[in-house]
Amino acid sequence: MKKLYALPLALIFALPAQAGVWDLFPLGNATYYADSAQQPVSVELYRMDSVLPGAGEDVLYFNKRSRSEMLGPCAATLQDPFSYLYGNLAQDSLIQRNDTILYNSEYSSLPFYFLPMASVGQSWTVTSDYSGNSYNQITITCTSIEQRTFLGIADSVKVFSLMPSGSYPGQASISDFQIVLSKAHGLVEFVPFDQFLYHPNYIDFGVIKMVGVSDGVNSVGFDKPEFADYFHLHAGDVLYWEIHDRPADISYPETYAYRKDSITSSTITPDSVIYYGDVTHFQPDGTIGHFSGLIGRYYRSNFEVLLSAGTNALAFMQNEEGPNEMPFGFFPNAILYAGPYHFSMADNGLDTITELGFSWGGHYWDTTYCEVGQMTDTDNAYKIDTRAGCTWISFGFLQPFEIHTTTLIGSVINGVEDGDITLSVNTLNSINGQAFTLMPNPAKESITFLGLPPGATGQYTIYDGIGRQALHGALTSSALSVEGLQPGVYVVQVRLSDRTERGRFVKE
């Protein structure tokens, strides 16, 4: 199994510059950034690959080339369905006007702008007219030009300080952070541009730092996993699953079942992986079933577009769905949302894992007529990682509300155990229903977790309707502010010491 990837990588390496001096994101480079304070570490890809020249300004696009490749023959008639499907998912373009770089956001009619050619001592002020901010101006000052080494790369850098026009008690100040720009390799660390325009008092500022960069030939630090990194199991590997069903009819109870997949052989080629295995089912009523000779098929063509797309973006996948008797599958012609990479250690403390999550909100593409359609009131989500492959599947229906999840809770891979591999009677009986209730629901300003066991500790994560992480933190008995969330349906995942539970609430 391929090891992925120490952050930062202690390696002395000189990457050639791909574009001009002091570019924020050198053209053609794939640059990975992470906030190391997050656990697990969330890694995002910034890849500037296209420029649209104009008379007075140029438009610089992230991942435009990969999007065009996804659209294929439809590119001429439907250039980009992504923006109208979900709005501005992530930073997707910048404007270059002479020596000024501008970034526009839906939160402010005034743009963020940056002067990469600024000299030492030069300052400018970014103003936001978003009414929810506690102050509206942040001054950026070039404080020094110096030599630094990052990811083993030595280069000249400009350092910029950040000074707000006000403050709010309890909110981390943007003055705690800085922007560092490399002469040849772009931004080494920076506060995401949208935070200059959208910073209500309940959202802390943060900085993301370069953890990997690739020019297409040479790579330093983190690099995205490939198809073979996700699917590499062999005979003797075992996967343990928990299957949780929440029926739409509340008169029927929620149920938990468990499944053990034992890989008996595998056929691995550059373009596909086929697993053959025996399966044991532990049903909610206590009965146990055994099935032999089941097959799981995973094709590079089903994953290639998704794995090469940018993070926090949409990817169109044109697939031929074949029979798959082990967990996982795809919808033909699906438009999927790919989240950021999550980088962490396995519970066994031995394996380094990179995880990728993605979701389907019901949108599909008619490639004959180049039209986008939608199946309403349905959603699906998946996760894959570099240790075990597929690790989580969720599909549900909002009208009527029901949800079904299949979660990998343990594994034995290359003889190394991880997670829960007992599937004992105690495991089956340890969960007697949802551990919490969210109140109020619908919510306008805050929610409270009710019904948690006394002294329960753990973490909560709130995801929006397309699988993006909206909030994360430690469980608390006090009210949790959701005032900053956009109206819609959200999933709350609560990870306790002995299990993980999920619920939903509506933000009005």
Side-chain angles (χ1 to χ4, degrees):
M1 180 172 61
K2 185 177 179 181
K3 288 284 187 179
L4 299 171
Y5 295 91
L7 298 182
L9 186 65
L11 176 66
I12 303 298
F13 197 95
L15 284 170
Q18 291 294 305
V21 173
W22 303 117
D23 284 345
L24 301 187
F25 304 97
L27 186 65
N29 276 10
T31 309
Y32 299 92
Y33 295 94
D35 178 358
S36 59
Q38 293 180 334
Q39 294 298 323
V41 176
S42 179
V43 180
E44 300 184 40
L45 167 64
Y46 285 69
R47 178 174 52 207
M48 184 73 69
D49 65 7
S50 302
V51 179
L52 179 62
E57 60 187 28
D58 297 337
V59 182
L60 315 176
Y61 287 104
F62 293 93
N63 300 306
K64 190 70 173 181
R65 186 173 303 167
S66 61
R67 291 188 192 181
S68 298
E69 291 171 353
M70 295 173 205
L71 301 180
C74 292
T77 57
L78 186 59
Q79 286 293 328
D80 192 350
F82 306 112
S83 58
Y84 103 82
L85 285 176
Y86 289 119
N88 186 17
L89 286 169
Q91 183 170 297
D92 64 353
S93 63
L94 302 175
I95 294 173
Q96 181 168 349
R97 189 177 298 158
N98 297 320
D99 290 337
T100 303
I101 302 296
L102 299 101
Y103 166 71
N104 291 293
S105 167
E106 61 182 326
Y107 292 108
S108 174
S109 63
L110 303 172
F112 166 83
Y113 70 102
F114 195 83
L115 305 177
M117 303 304 293
S119 57
V120 175
Q122 185 174 354
S123 298
W124 66 96
T125 298
V126 175
T127 301
S128 171
D129 57 13
Y130 177 68
S131 60
N133 294 337
S134 54
Y135 52 86
N136 64 350
Q137 292 186 325
I138 298 172
T139 299
I140 304 173
T141 302
C142 180
T143 57
S144 68
I145 299 178
E146 57 194 65
Q147 191 80 0
R148 286 195 185 182
T149 299
F150 52 92
L151 294 180
I153 304 170
D155 194 21
S156 297
V157 301
K158 290 183 180 180
V159 181
F160 299 82
S161 65
L162 310 171
M163 183 59 62
S165 61
S167 63
Y168 192 87
Q171 182 185 42
S173 175
I174 196 169
S175 62
D176 294 342
F177 308 104
Q178 61 184 7
I179 295 175
V180 179
L181 175 63
S182 161
K183 185 174 184 179
H185 304 289
L187 288 167
V188 177
E189 63 180 87
F190 66 101
V191 174
F193 299 161
D194 57 355
Q195 292 192 19
F196 287 82
L197 304 176
Y198 177 75
H199 46 267
N201 57 54
Y202 46 82
I203 293 180
D204 280 336
F205 287 96
V207 66
I208 57 176
K209 299 182 180 181
M210 181 189 293
V211 294
V213 61
S214 171
D215 64 359
V217 177
N218 301 304
S219 298
V220 176
F222 179 90
D223 199 3
K224 66 180 179 65
E226 303 295 340
F227 171 73
D229 298 320
Y230 289 109
F231 300 104
H232 49 73
L233 301 182
H234 292 85
D237 294 338
V238 186
L239 306 177
Y240 297 84
W241 303 87
E242 177 185 87
I243 303 166
H244 184 189
D245 288 331
R246 296 178 174 91
D249 189 339
I250 61 174
S251 65
Y252 290 90
E254 298 181 21
T255 62
Y256 289 83
Y258 294 85
R259 170 177 173 144
K260 174 183 175 182
D261 292 351
S262 301
I263 307 299
T264 56
S265 65
S266 60
T267 302
I268 299 177
T269 72
D271 296 321
S272 66
V273 173
I274 303 177
Y275 297 141
Y276 304 88
D278 298 333
V279 174
T280 302
H281 275 291
F282 300 82
Q283 301 294 351
D285 62 3
T287 60
I288 300 175
H290 300 279
F291 306 89
S292 299
L294 300 189
I295 300 174
R297 295 178 172 88
Y298 305 91
Y299 301 104
R300 178 182 290 272
S301 59
N302 284 359
F303 290 88
E304 198 70 31
V305 172
L306 180 67
L307 298 182
S308 63
T311 60
N312 300 319
L314 289 163
F316 165 63
M317 300 183 64
Q318 185 173 0
N319 304 309
E320 296 180 3
E321 188 175 8
N324 210 60
E325 296 162 330
M326 292 182 177
F328 212 57
F330 280 100
F331 293 90
N333 300 340
I335 298 176
L336 301 176
Y337 169 81
Y341 297 99
H342 285 148
F343 182 89
S344 61
M345 293 295 295
D347 291 339
N348 58 36
L350 301 174
D351 293 312
T352 304
I353 294 176
T354 302
E355 177 186 273
L356 176 62
F358 46 97
S359 58
W360 182 70
H363 291 96
Y364 62 91
W365 201 336
D366 183 332
T367 53
T368 302
Y369 298 100
C370 295
E371 295 178 349
V372 174
Q374 183 179 18
M375 297 175 60
T376 59
D377 296 324
T378 183
D379 60 20
N380 294 264
Y382 307 90
K383 290 180 183 178
I384 55 176
D385 75 27
T386 54
R387 173 178 165 82
C390 174
T391 61
W392 185 63
I393 307 166
S394 173
F395 66 94
F397 304 93
L398 303 182
Q399 298 294 332
F401 174 70
E402 62 178 282
I403 189 168
H404 312 272
T405 58
T406 302
T407 305
L408 188 73
I409 59 173
S411 62
V412 180
I413 298 175
N414 292 332
V416 179
E417 298 179 0
D418 187 63
D420 181 4
I421 63 171
T422 60
L423 296 189
S424 64
V425 174
N426 290 334
T427 299
L428 291 169
N429 293 333
S430 65
I431 300 174
N432 298 310
Q434 184 170 299
F436 64 91
T437 301
L438 294 170
M439 293 294 291
N441 192 0
K444 290 184 178 180
E445 298 179 352
S446 64
I447 57 173
T448 301
F449 298 100
L450 300 179
L452 290 172
T457 59
Q459 300 286 320
Y460 73 86
T461 306
I462 297 179
Y463 300 94
D464 66 13
I466 56 173
R468 295 177 296 185
Q469 180 174 306
L471 292 173
H472 175 75
L475 281 178
T476 174
S477 58
S478 59
L480 171 68
S481 174
V482 295
E483 191 174 5
L485 301 180
Q486 296 296 314
V489 179
Y490 291 82
V491 173
V492 182
Q493 176 177 284
V494 171
R495 186 179 296 275
L496 302 172
S497 59
D498 60 344
R499 66 191 186 273
T500 298
E501 289 286 352
R502 295 178 182 88
R504 292 198 180 204
F505 74 94
V506 176
K507 170 62 167 60
E508 293 184 332

